[in-house]
Amino acid sequence: MNTQQDLIFSLMKELEEVLDNGMPLIGNFLVVVKKETANNLMDKIYAALPDEIRDARALLRRKDEVLFDAQQKAEKIITDAQAEASRLLSESDLLRAVQKEAEKIKESVINDCENIRRKALDEAENIRLQALDDASRTKEGANIYAEQVLVNLEQNITQLHEVVKNGQVTLERKRAEAGNYDNVQENYPNKGQNYSTNFKIN
């Protein structure tokens, strides 16, 4: 174990010498060394390290990789969760919009049905009023027609009465001219009376 440590220290001492013998730049702040020489010394130093240190270094490197992978997965999970939340929120907004539109359609249908019902009632009322008006006009027309028929009938009866009266007068005159005046007086004791006054129309 001491031999391995001595080797490591020897290699590190050699690296220091290489750095000391390098070309100085900006005073002693920077030095230029051969890359190949530095890399060879570093490889020897790594090779001289104990297995435990190499395993620990590998484990540490692996730990960093695992941590990086875990961080990447966590970020992906967060990104996916945010995307899913946005999708659900969008679907929720869409659902609310659909429900709101459905409510508008429902209200529109109800209003349309109410308007149709109101128009139907108004139309029925107009038809009823028109029917009453037509019935009233028909009744009035029937009354006028009946009155006209009665007037015509009265005129016809009056004319018939005149015809009958004229016939009676004519018959009486002819009998008088034939010398049958007494017989006519017996047959018509009310000669000279106005027959039209005795004729009544109920």
Side-chain angles (χ1 to χ4, degrees):
M1 185 67 178
N2 291 333
T3 302
Q4 190 175 20
Q5 289 180 355
D6 293 340
L7 179 58
I8 293 172
F9 286 127
S10 175
L11 291 172
M12 293 179 66
K13 183 65 175 176
E14 187 176 350
L15 179 59
E16 289 177 359
E17 291 177 356
V18 170
L19 294 175
D20 291 337
N21 294 327
M23 181 182 298
L25 293 176
I26 311 176
N28 292 325
F29 184 74
L30 294 176
V31 294
V32 176
V33 296
K34 291 183 178 180
K35 182 179 180 180
E36 183 178 358
T37 304
N39 286 336
N40 289 333
L41 288 174
M42 293 300 298
D43 291 338
K44 290 178 180 180
I45 292 173
Y46 287 135
L49 290 175
D51 294 338
E52 293 82 358
I53 296 177
R54 285 197 300 269
D55 293 342
R57 184 171 181 274
L59 182 60
L60 182 60
R61 186 181 301 170
R62 179 61 182 165
K63 177 182 178 182
D64 293 337
E65 293 176 358
V66 171
L67 182 60
F68 178 78
D69 292 340
Q71 185 176 358
Q72 292 295 321
K73 290 180 180 179
E75 291 177 357
K76 185 176 184 305
I77 291 173
I78 293 173
T79 302
D80 293 342
Q82 291 175 346
E84 182 66 14
S86 298
R87 185 184 67 81
L88 293 176
L89 182 60
S90 177
E91 290 180 355
S92 178
D93 292 340
L94 178 62
L95 180 60
R96 282 195 295 269
V98 170
Q99 290 176 344
K100 186 175 181 180
E101 186 65 23
E103 280 296 323
K104 289 183 179 179
I105 295 174
K106 179 182 177 181
E107 291 178 0
S108 177
V109 170
I110 292 175
N111 291 333
D112 290 343
C113 291
E114 182 64 23
N115 291 333
I116 292 173
R117 186 185 71 85
R118 189 181 301 109
K119 289 181 180 179
L121 292 176
D122 292 342
E123 185 68 20
E125 181 65 15
N126 292 333
I127 293 173
R128 186 184 71 84
L129 294 176
Q130 185 64 38
L132 291 176
D133 185 66
D134 292 344
S136 177
R137 291 177 182 274
T138 301
K139 181 179 179 181
E140 182 180 358
N143 290 335
I144 294 174
Y145 176 75
E147 183 178 359
Q148 186 64 41
V149 170
L150 291 175
V151 170
N152 293 336
L153 181 60
E154 182 181 7
Q155 291 176 354
N156 292 335
I157 292 175
T158 301
Q159 291 175 0
L160 181 61
H161 176 262
E162 291 293 331
V163 170
V164 172
K165 184 178 72 172
N166 291 335
Q168 289 175 342
V169 172
T170 301
L171 182 59
E172 181 180 0
R173 185 182 299 115
K174 286 183 179 181
R175 287 180 179 178
E177 291 174 355
N180 296 325
Y181 179 78
D182 293 337
N183 292 333
V184 171
Q185 188 176 12
E186 291 177 359
N187 292 330
Y188 297 97
N190 295 325
K191 179 183 177 183
Q193 185 178 2
N194 189 355
Y195 289 96
S196 62
T197 59
N198 295 329
F199 190 86
K200 296 182 180 181
I201 300 176
N202 293 325

